[in-house]
Amino acid sequence: MTQKAAGPLSAQDTTPGALALLTLCAAHFMDAIDLSDVGVALPAIQHELGMSPASLQWVISAYTLGYGGFLLLGGRTADLFGRRRTFLAAVAVFAVVSVAGALAPGSGLLIAARLVKGVAAGFLAPAALSLITTNWPEGPERGRALGWYATAGAGGFVGGLVLGGVLTEVSWRLVFALPVPLAVAALIAGSRLLPADPPPAGRGRIDLAGALSVTGGLLLCVYAIAQAPEHGWTSVRTVALFAAAAVLLALFVRVEARASTPLVPLSFLTRRRSAGTNLTIFAMWGAYTSFAFLATLYLQNVLQWTPLQTAGAFIPLGLVNGAVAPFAGRLAARFGHPRMIAAGMLLLAASYAMFLRIGPDSSFLSVVLPVMVLNGLGTAATFPALNMSAVAGVPDRDQGLAGALLNTSMQIGGAVVLAVVTAVAEAGRRAGGGTDPMAGYLPAIAVIVGCVLAGLAATGLLSRPRTHATARTAATRSAATTSAPAVTPAARSGNEKEQEQHHDDLH
């Protein structure tokens, strides 16, 4: 890869260099930090601002609400109006609202800042991912770039835990200010190093009806999930919210089926590979989010660790992930996305099954550490390959949308699975009478294992049906030898790949 000395690069001229990739990784690192560092600071925030437990949860939920609700709109905006432009605008907003959150005098402004920051992340994430997938060619180069991108996310998540614990000892406000220097650096570097957007002519416009219906439906869905544990899953309030979300999402499907330039072409939702990829990451990220939640509670409430010690327990996971992820992208390009994803999901299922060994006196070295190491390997194998699978065969004009769908599945999966696991853990705790410190943990972990196994089953959608592929190849060879002009082996291979891609898009 080469980097010109001055001026933004055109994707048609050359592949962007290491500094451009570093800029995108820094933004992903910043986003990942913000996902993890706030959790450590919640008790200090509650004490200083006098927030009730019910209002405190919205420091986390408001971010998820904005993130999950605006990802599809953010992805389409990047495709239509420029990925570089969308990326830089989202980073700028992220920096401003980070400062607002750090200076917030009360809970209302703090929660509002978190909501706007989540919206900014909903535009930033698909823009950054599509900048990689449209400027690094498919194959080893893209695999290597996505591997480093995944490493930045893992490093940011673990770094957020550690830095959040350290900074909270001084002031929780420093935790909210932590992303600001990274955002400023990414904004300056991005304006100079990222490829320029192509001319706007012929890009079309956003399907406003589709955008309003899907954004409203996802917002209501995430909100219903976030408030369900407090109000009850079968309460009139929760049922009404889910019903309203279902109506809006059904309206979205109807609008997209009739739109001349849809926000999300329905073919995206019916493609075999797309369905398998999004179902798998739904399960994978939902399980990890729930595991991190349970592990944090277990280490602090059962083993009586401090927040900083708890953060340190996750460091091996991040180190293993960071060391393996850059190579995992290249392995996925060599051996195929389905094999790599299935192997990663098996490792994750094994790590969560090993977590069933926890007890009130468990040793870190013999029980917790092996879980973290195996989980790091599984995450490194799975995440880059899922990113590659999500955009494989997708036209450049729709790369932002493909990335947005993947991130939407992640966020919704995290919210849904965490809500279910929390409900199971709480039911177990109540059944135990409140005297057993381990009550509820084992059934909740079993749910996590089951979730990953369901995701492993979904990877079957990533592989092309063997009988169809064999018949198609035989028919191609027969036609080439009996009725077609002589074709070189290279041309025949290209034709077969094109037919297989077409078949995959249909299924």
Side-chain angles (χ1 to χ4, degrees):
M1 297 186 296
T2 59
Q3 179 75 50
K4 293 182 181 179
L9 298 173
S10 170
Q12 288 74 27
D13 294 335
T14 183
T15 300
L19 291 178
L21 179 60
L22 179 62
T23 300
L24 297 172
C25 288
H28 190 40
F29 183 87
M30 171 189 73
D31 184 22
I33 278 180
D34 212 62
L35 283 171
S36 61
D37 63 356
V38 176
V40 182
L42 287 177
I45 296 171
Q46 182 179 25
H47 177 74
E48 181 171 329
L49 299 184
M51 300 175 70
S52 66
S55 62
L56 186 66
Q57 69 151 335
W58 284 105
V59 176
I60 301 297
S61 297
Y63 186 87
T64 304
L65 191 66
Y67 201 163
F70 282 85
L71 273 164
L72 286 178
L73 182 58
R76 205 53 175 165
T77 299
D79 286 337
L80 294 177
F81 299 108
R83 299 178 179 101
R84 178 177 177 271
R85 188 177 297 111
T86 301
F87 173 83
L88 294 176
V91 170
V93 173
F94 203 96
V96 171
V97 294
S98 293
V99 174
L103 300 177
S107 60
L109 183 56
L110 179 63
I111 292 172
R114 290 288 291 172
L115 175 64
V116 177
K117 185 183 285 190
V119 173
F123 283 78
L124 188 157
L129 181 59
S130 60
L131 277 166
I132 292 178
T133 58
T134 56
N135 289 288
W136 276 262
E138 192 166 357
E141 280 195 79
R142 183 181 295 179
R144 186 162 46 249
L146 287 173
W148 284 113
Y149 188 73
T151 301
F157 191 87
V158 175
L161 288 170
V162 176
L163 292 173
V166 172
L167 293 177
T168 301
E169 296 291 333
V170 181
S171 171
W172 64 264
R173 296 183 183 277
L174 294 177
V175 173
F176 285 83
L178 181 59
V180 176
L182 285 171
V184 172
L187 192 62
I188 295 172
S191 63
R192 295 179 57 84
L193 299 171
L194 295 179
D197 294 321
R203 282 184 181 161
R205 56 185 180 182
I206 288 183
D207 168 22
L208 186 58
L212 291 175
S213 57
V214 72
T215 300
L218 289 174
L219 283 171
L220 283 178
C221 183
V222 175
Y223 178 71
I225 292 168
Q227 62 85 53
E230 179 185 356
H231 296 278
W233 286 91
T234 58
S235 67
V236 174
R237 175 192 178 95
T238 303
V239 172
L241 285 170
F242 277 123
V247 169
L248 284 173
L249 293 175
L251 177 62
F252 165 70
V253 173
R254 182 179 177 85
V255 168
E256 299 308 281
R258 296 184 173 187
S260 57
T261 55
L263 180 72
V264 183
L266 294 184
S267 60
F268 263 78
L269 306 178
T270 57
R271 285 179 72 233
R272 180 185 176 93
R273 178 184 291 167
S274 178
T277 301
N278 285 283
L279 287 172
T280 302
I281 204 166
F282 179 100
M284 176 256 183
W285 191 249
Y288 177 77
T289 302
S290 303
F291 162 71
F293 177 78
L294 286 181
T296 300
L297 292 180
Y298 166 72
L299 293 172
Q300 293 193 37
N301 296 343
V302 179
L303 298 187
Q304 301 299 311
W305 286 23
T306 66
L308 191 57
Q309 288 174 316
T310 301
F314 285 86
I315 290 179
L317 190 159
L319 291 177
V320 172
N321 192 344
V324 175
F327 305 100
R330 278 176 274 180
L331 290 174
R334 180 176 178 181
F335 296 107
H337 313 143
R339 290 190 183 94
M340 201 68 180
I341 294 169
M345 293 297 283
L346 278 172
L347 289 170
L348 289 173
S351 74
Y352 298 134
M354 290 176 63
F355 199 51
L356 288 167
R357 300 165 55 228
I358 61 173
D361 300 310
S362 293
S363 163
F364 172 74
L365 289 178
S366 63
V367 178
V368 178
L369 181 60
V371 172
M372 295 296 182
V373 171
L374 202 58
N375 195 282
L377 286 172
T379 304
T382 307
F383 196 70
L386 282 168
N387 277 277
M388 295 168 71
S389 179
V391 300
V394 176
D396 280 359
R397 67 178 182 275
D398 294 327
Q399 290 280 324
L401 175 59
L405 279 173
L406 188 74
N407 280 283
T408 299
S409 297
M410 279 181 59
Q411 296 303 317
I412 299 299
V416 171
V417 179
L418 178 59
V420 173
V421 167
T422 301
V424 170
E426 180 63 16
R429 188 189 66 80
R430 290 177 180 175
T435 57
D436 181 6
M438 290 297 300
Y441 281 101
L442 296 186
I445 297 169
V447 172
I448 294 174
V449 174
C451 179
V452 176
L453 292 177
L456 178 61
T459 63
L461 295 172
L462 302 176
S463 299
R464 195 176 298 108
R466 182 170 300 183
T467 55
H468 291 178
T470 303
R472 184 171 56 256
T473 301
T476 301
R477 288 175 178 169
S478 175
T481 57
T482 60
S483 61
V487 181
T488 64
R492 183 182 296 116
S493 175
N495 291 337
E496 288 175 5
K497 288 181 180 179
E498 183 178 352
Q499 292 171 9
E500 290 173 4
Q501 179 62 55
H502 177 66
H503 178 273
D504 185 48
D505 289 342
L506 293 177
H507 290 79

